[in-house]
Amino acid sequence: MANKAQQPPHLHLAEVTASQFIDIWKHFDADGNGYIEGKELENFYRELEKARRGSGVDPTNPIFREKMKDFMQKFDKNKDGRIEMSELAQILPTEENFLLCFRQFVSSSAEFMAAWRRYDTDRSGYIEANELKGFLSDLLEKANRHYDDQKLQEYTQTILRMFDLNGDGKLGLSEMARLLPVQENFLLSFQGVKLNTEQFNAIFTFYDKDGNGYIDEQELDALLRDLYQKNKKDVDAKTLAGYKQSIMSLSDGGKLYRGELEIALCKEPTV
């Protein structure tokens, strides 16, 4: 029974469903850290080759290493030496390519944030599970993808399985953003920069120069520049402008209130 549980799922299929995609992800992301890396990556590539070629693969063979290097060059878009969920969606033949469909519509962080804002009505940084179906339905319609209630239900359950790990019926913004193309996921750029609540409150007060309770685009620009310099992270003007646009998509008519900015810059939104 134990051997069966360790058997890599679904890699032999010509097409995998959204649900099977998650089975594959969970199998190879053994430590659950959101990446397939190190030994996990070697296991994944070995099993993928075995499923595609129908024969054994020897990881000690130099040819195996060379092929794996070429494979990573093709699919590891941000060149960090590991596979993220959005990169795996490019590798596997996903049915109707649900994840890529998501990414085609939400092709930028700004679009994602704007879509998120419509459903995160209380600005908590979470979408409740009962709102998720509407969120996905909106995305699929805008991508001109046909779907029925059964398929929408499957997609909804797939996203829940992916992100609602504690079963509380809520999905976080930064977790859902993992579906974005790596180069567009501006939230990933804040890894190692994110603030705790005390730090955030101090920074918000400092940059809300006129004390009106919100930050405008100019104030946000200064805040982001200083945040990156303080954390010794290089960022060019074009990239910074993209980050700013993404965060401003959460704003209310150009006014970025405390709770909205907190979603992007804090480790966990306060509830």
Side-chain angles (χ1 to χ4, degrees), residues 7-18:
Q7 208 50 25
H10 316 308
L11 286 179
H12 63 286
L13 297 175
E15 191 174 71
V16 297
T17 66

Side-chain angles (χ1 to χ4, degrees), residues 59-116:
T60 62
N61 190 318
I63 296 174
F64 173 86
R65 293 283 167 195
E66 201 58 43
K67 283 185 174 179
M68 185 170 163
K69 189 177 170 186
D70 292 343
F71 172 83
M72 289 301 287
Q73 196 140 14
K74 182 177 179 182
F75 292 109
D76 181 21
K77 301 298 183 188
N78 63 345
K79 311 298 180 197
D80 65 353
R82 50 193 185 176
I83 294 295
E84 296 168 24
M85 191 173 288
S86 58
E87 291 167 337
L88 186 65
Q90 298 275 20
I91 297 165
L92 299 177
T94 311
E95 173 206 39
E96 301 172 18
N97 230 323
F98 163 56
L99 297 174
L100 292 182
C101 159
F102 177 99
R103 291 173 55 195
Q104 280 162 8
F105 167 59
V106 191
S107 59
S108 71
S109 290
E111 286 177 359
F112 174 80
M113 299 291 256
W116 180 275

Side-chain angles (χ1 to χ4, degrees), residues 15-214:
E15 191 174 71
V16 297
T17 66
S19 180
Q20 287 166 339
F21 176 91
I22 301 307
D23 289 340
I24 293 169
W25 176 263
K26 286 179 177 291
H27 178 88
F28 288 104
D29 179 21
D31 59 5
N33 72 342
Y35 301 97
I36 296 173
E37 59 186 342
K39 198 70 179 168
E40 298 168 342
L41 182 57
E42 187 178 299
N43 290 341
F44 170 70
Y45 183 67
R46 185 182 67 242
E47 295 299 339
L48 186 65
E49 282 287 283
K50 196 186 292 184
R52 288 176 173 177
R53 298 176 187 281
S55 60
V57 178
D58 179 11
T60 62
N61 190 318
I63 296 174
F64 173 86
R65 293 283 167 195
E66 201 58 43
K67 283 185 174 179
M68 185 170 163
K69 189 177 170 186
D70 292 343
F71 172 83
M72 289 301 287
Q73 196 140 14
K74 182 177 179 182
F75 292 109
D76 181 21
K77 301 298 183 188
N78 63 345
K79 311 298 180 197
D80 65 353
R82 50 193 185 176
I83 294 295
E84 296 168 24
M85 191 173 288
S86 58
E87 291 167 337
L88 186 65
Q90 298 275 20
I91 297 165
L92 299 177
T94 311
E95 173 206 39
E96 301 172 18
N97 230 323
F98 163 56
L99 297 174
L100 292 182
C101 159
F102 177 99
R103 291 173 55 195
Q104 280 162 8
F105 167 59
V106 191
S107 59
S108 71
S109 290
E111 286 177 359
F112 174 80
M113 299 291 256
W116 180 275
R117 190 181 189 280
R118 284 198 297 276
Y119 288 91
D120 180 20
T121 50
D122 60 358
R123 306 292 178 269
S124 65
Y126 297 96
I127 285 183
E128 307 292 325
N130 59 357
E131 297 169 328
L132 178 62
K133 193 180 279 190
F135 180 72
L136 293 176
S137 175
D138 190 22
L139 294 179
L140 289 164
E141 280 177 17
K142 284 189 168 60
N144 292 319
R145 292 294 180 125
H146 173 74
Y147 64 92
D148 54 25
D149 283 343
Q150 184 180 348
K151 189 57 68 178
L152 183 60
Q153 186 62 28
E154 184 199 333
Y155 291 163
T156 304
Q157 289 306 312
T158 296
I159 295 290
L160 282 170
R161 280 185 60 209
M162 204 184 295
F163 296 128
D164 187 18
L165 301 180
N166 62 358
D168 67 354
K170 296 192 294 188
L171 298 174
L173 172 69
S174 58
E175 294 169 321
M176 282 281 282
R178 279 167 53 196
L179 284 170
L180 284 166
V182 172
Q183 64 273 24
E184 279 293 344
N185 190 347
F186 85 99
L187 291 169
L188 287 177
S189 71
F190 286 103
Q191 287 179 348
V193 177
K194 288 205 169 190
L195 311 166
N196 61 35
T197 304
E198 189 179 335
Q199 290 169 325
F200 172 79
N201 286 336
I203 278 181
F204 188 90
T205 302
F206 180 80
Y207 286 96
D208 179 19
K209 300 289 187 189
D210 45 16
N212 56 10
Y214 61 82

